Amino acid sequence: MSIQAINVRNQFKGNIKEIIRGDVVSEVDVQTPWGIVTSVITTRSVDDLGLVVGTEVVALVKSTEVSLAKL
């Protein structure tokens, strides 16, 4: 399967570093050149996608709100 077009502009290509499985949801850590991106997805999706440590993925980030704090 390949993605031909997508409207999400924030895309981070990387490899799965760790999967913390839960009964219903799992945390998936993706190592990117810019750091780790963590996604919380259903455990069923982890299984359906065949995700394992080392799998190459693209983390797609789309949000209606991004909050900033001045340091």
Side-chain angles (χ1 to χ4, degrees), residues 1-51:
M1 179 176 103
S2 65
I3 299 172
Q4 294 184 0
I6 195 160
N7 68 339
V8 178
R9 298 293 180 235
N10 300 311
Q11 302 179 23
F12 303 96
K13 190 175 182 179
N15 292 300
I16 295 178
K17 180 178 179 180
E18 183 179 14
I19 299 174
I20 301 171
R21 293 180 63 92
D23 292 336
V24 178
V25 296
S26 296
E27 291 180 40
V28 180
D29 290 342
V30 179
Q31 181 67 56
T32 76
W34 304 276
I36 295 175
V37 174
T38 301
S39 177
V40 177
I41 63 174
T42 64
T43 301
R44 177 183 279 183
S45 291
V46 170
D47 295 338
D48 289 350
L49 291 168
L51 299 180

Side-chain angles (χ1 to χ4, degrees), residues 48-59:
D48 289 350
L49 291 168
L51 299 180
V52 295
V53 171
T55 301
E56 185 177 35
V57 295
V58 177

